[in-house]
Amino acid sequence: ATVMSDEINLERYVPRADLLIGAVLVPGELAPKIVPVSLVKKMKSGAVIVDIAVDQGGCIATTHPTSHDHPVYKLHNVIHYAVPNMPGAVSKTSTQALANAVFPYVLKIAKLGLEKAAAQDEDLRRGINIYTRPGQAQGVITNAGVAQAFGGKYVPMEKAAGLK
């Protein structure tokens, strides 16, 4: 069953799960720990946790990064899989998928330049984390989550690039 990860559903379903997939993304920030140790301890012996959010610190309290060479460990009788960059296991396919997703933005930037492309495309503009004006030596952080995570000053992309 796929359910929303609110506290009531987590309390109800995590102890009964054979497989728990944690997939929380807060762009530019660490993932919140939505499954505490106390719930993992209630899981069935031999159940499996896959923490896809491990690249952002993990969303399950008991996970820590593993590797493709040693991808699993057992804790509280639950098998944990938490490999950062999971797509790296299928590097050719994941690279092709990433290229296909990014190419329209690259093409737009190539045709219009970064500033005009960002002014026209909100998705592209929101994807810019750091921006350096031409001729300036240092850029600014244009993603609030990245600024918070690194203790930097946030400057909206519209202001940083003088977009209308």
Side-chain angles (χ1 to χ4, degrees):
T2 301
V3 296
M4 292 298 294
S5 57
D6 60 36
E7 193 172 332
I8 292 170
N9 282 332
L10 290 171
E11 287 282 342
R12 180 177 179 194
Y13 290 106
V14 168
R16 301 177 3 198
D18 295 311
L19 172 64
L20 173 64
I21 300 173
V24 176
L25 176 63
V26 181
E29 298 182 27
L30 291 174
K33 303 284 189 206
I34 62 169
V35 179
V37 175
S38 60
L39 275 182
V40 173
K41 287 180 175 181
K42 292 179 183 178
M43 291 180 76
K44 298 185 250 179
S45 180
V48 176
I49 291 175
V50 176
D51 194 343
I52 296 172
V54 72
D55 293 86
Q56 285 77 37
C59 63
I60 314 288
T62 53
T63 59
H64 61 76
T66 59
S67 68
H68 290 294
D69 291 335
H70 302 287
V72 298
Y73 61 94
K74 197 172 195 177
L75 184 62
H76 306 301
N77 292 314
V78 175
I79 299 165
H80 291 65
Y81 177 92
V83 176
N85 188 23
M86 288 180 197
V90 286
S91 56
K92 181 178 180 183
T93 305
S94 62
T95 298
Q96 289 170 333
L98 179 61
N100 289 339
V102 171
F103 185 71
Y105 299 108
V106 172
L107 194 58
K108 188 175 279 189
I109 293 167
K111 286 182 179 178
L112 302 173
L114 179 62
E115 291 78 8
K116 285 183 183 177
Q120 291 181 12
D121 190 322
E122 181 182 355
D123 291 331
L124 173 61
R125 186 171 56 252
R126 288 189 333 214
I128 299 169
N129 292 326
I130 297 175
Y131 174 76
T132 304
R133 276 188 186 270
Q136 287 186 334
Q138 186 158 349
V140 294
I141 302 173
T142 56
N143 178 294
V146 172
Q148 182 179 359
F150 290 97
K153 180 183 175 191
Y154 165 67
V155 179
M157 181 61 187
E158 295 82 358
K159 182 178 179 184
L163 304 178
K164 295 179 183 180

